[in-house]
Amino acid sequence: MTFATLHKPEEYRCTLVSILKKAGIRTVWLSAQGERCSTDSLLFHGADRVLYSPTDTCDDALAEMLPQALAGWERSPVVILLHLNGSHSDYSRRYPKQQQRFTDLPPEPAHLSAEEIESVNHYDNSIAFTDSILKKLIGFLETTERPSFLLYFSDHGEAPARNGRNNIRNPKVTAPIFYEVPFWVWASRQYHAIRPGFAENARGNRDKPMQLDRGGIYALCDIAGIRYRNFPEEANIFSASFRSQPIYFLGTVFSASSIPAEDVKLPVVFSSSPDYIIPRRNTDGTLAHAPRR
């Protein structure tokens, strides 16, 4: 959301919101985490609209607020930044009980306690609920019949078997499950029509590692149609010129070639609504033998 990185935190420069506004794009910050979230004040500063979902509601309340977020700007370029609760612990509070899907044993139950099995199921239910919200968002964008996109990514992972207790804020946590995050984009047919090479470029880079703190801001600018002098195409995963850089992990540097392709989180490009599959992950962060649908 800014130009600051793990190794160069002083290179803040400006936020994505300020870049969008400079380009003449309306901005909306739509958050489920409320004003209690300290990072919000930094990230949404200067947004044209700042909206919060009602307290103690699930993330689907944000989808219902999209017409309000766009009101009066039907013919203007708009970027809506949605800040979900997602799958933060307590996982049982992240989805409506009537949408509970998983109550059975997860794929790796042998070494889990009853409490951990319950936590994993709550976590997977929250993931399934997030999938349903993303599907609603895509459906809404399709009804606008405008060039539009949905870019989704997480800021960190979780360890569901421990109900988040060993979370990303623990400096001793080193498991990949905390750092490898989903990153995918959907674009409308109208968007593909005005950017015919976008999907090809993104698919061409899907096996190349990217670290969000260094490449995320450029991907966000690109997908919004923004370029500026000396724009670093080599850092933009949606560019044909993208080049992978070493991945930093708690002070350890991994070369791009040393990371197995299956461990890299990729930009998955959809031209129509995707088939939502919820992959189950083992507690060590590896994919389970089969997804739960």
Side-chain angles (χ1 to χ4, degrees):
M1 301 293 281
T2 75
F3 291 95
T5 67
L6 177 66
H7 287 76
K8 295 182 179 180
E10 72 281 359
E11 291 195 9
Y12 168 82
R13 292 161 59 183
C14 60
T15 66
L16 176 67
V17 167
S18 63
I19 296 172
L20 294 169
K21 288 173 66 72
K22 189 72 173 179
I25 298 174
R26 300 285 191 178
T27 55
V28 182
W29 182 263
L30 184 52
S31 177
Q33 296 197 24
E35 297 181 75
R36 69 184 183 279
C37 184
S38 60
T39 56
D40 275 16
S41 59
L42 168 66
L43 297 177
F44 73 65
H45 180 73
D48 294 299
R49 285 177 182 161
V50 177
L51 303 171
Y52 295 102
S53 58
T55 304
D56 295 328
T57 59
C58 293
D59 283 342
D60 55 343
L62 295 179
E64 304 301 323
M65 296 173 68
L66 288 178
Q68 177 186 355
L70 288 174
W73 294 340
E74 287 77 9
R75 297 184 179 275
S76 302
V78 183
V79 167
I80 303 175
L81 304 167
L82 288 95
H83 192 193
L84 306 176
N85 272 313
S87 298
H88 284 121
S89 61
D90 179 355
Y91 312 128
S92 65
R93 299 178 58 190
R94 303 303 172 215
Y95 64 93
K97 295 302 176 281
Q98 63 269 26
Q99 294 205 31
Q100 181 171 274
R101 297 179 58 175
F102 302 123
T103 58
D104 58 341
L105 294 176
E108 71 288 8
H111 60 287
L112 298 182
S113 67
E115 180 185 5
E116 289 175 325
I117 289 173
E118 183 180 31
S119 176
V120 169
N121 279 329
H122 283 314
Y123 179 81
D124 287 346
N125 282 320
S126 72
I127 294 291
F129 183 59
T130 295
D131 279 352
S132 71
I133 294 169
L134 297 176
K135 189 172 184 178
K136 285 181 180 179
L137 296 176
I138 290 173
F140 175 83
L141 293 174
E142 287 179 325
T143 65
T144 67
E145 298 187 347
R146 297 174 58 181
S148 55
F149 63 85
L150 175 63
L151 177 62
Y152 174 82
F153 57 89
S154 301
D155 57 346
H156 62 80
E158 289 276 328
R162 298 182 182 275
N163 200 16
R165 289 193 292 273
N166 281 358
N167 61 35
I168 194 67
R169 295 173 181 84
N170 184 342
K172 296 182 180 180
V173 167
T174 59
I177 195 171
F178 292 105
Y179 299 96
E180 296 176 347
V181 297
F183 180 88
W184 60 258
V185 60
W186 169 90
S188 68
R189 58 182 177 82
Q190 293 88 349
Y191 186 94
H192 286 294
I194 63 175
R195 294 197 63 183
F198 174 79
E200 181 180 358
N201 288 343
R203 290 191 179 105
N205 293 328
R206 66 186 304 166
D207 293 325
K208 299 177 182 179
M210 179 190 72
Q211 191 157 326
L212 274 172
D213 69 325
R214 285 180 290 161
I217 188 72
Y218 305 114
L220 289 162
C221 286
D222 176 282
I223 201 170
I226 295 173
R227 287 293 189 282
Y228 53 84
R229 188 184 308 135
N230 299 322
F231 187 86
E233 296 292 347
E234 70 279 2
N236 170 25
I237 201 165
F238 296 137
S239 169
S241 302
F242 174 74
R243 295 198 304 270
S244 292
Q245 299 293 322
I247 301 298
Y248 291 88
F249 179 75
L250 287 181
T252 301
V253 182
F254 294 90
S255 67
S257 60
S258 71
I259 302 176
E262 62 268 20
D263 291 340
V264 178
K265 298 312 165 194
L266 313 172
V268 182
V269 181
F270 300 108
S271 56
S272 59
S273 296
D275 176 26
Y276 288 88
I277 299 176
I278 305 104
R280 291 299 292 252
R281 297 188 73 91
N282 296 318
T283 51
D284 63 358
T286 59
L287 282 176
H289 65 277
R292 292 174 77 167
R293 295 176 180 266

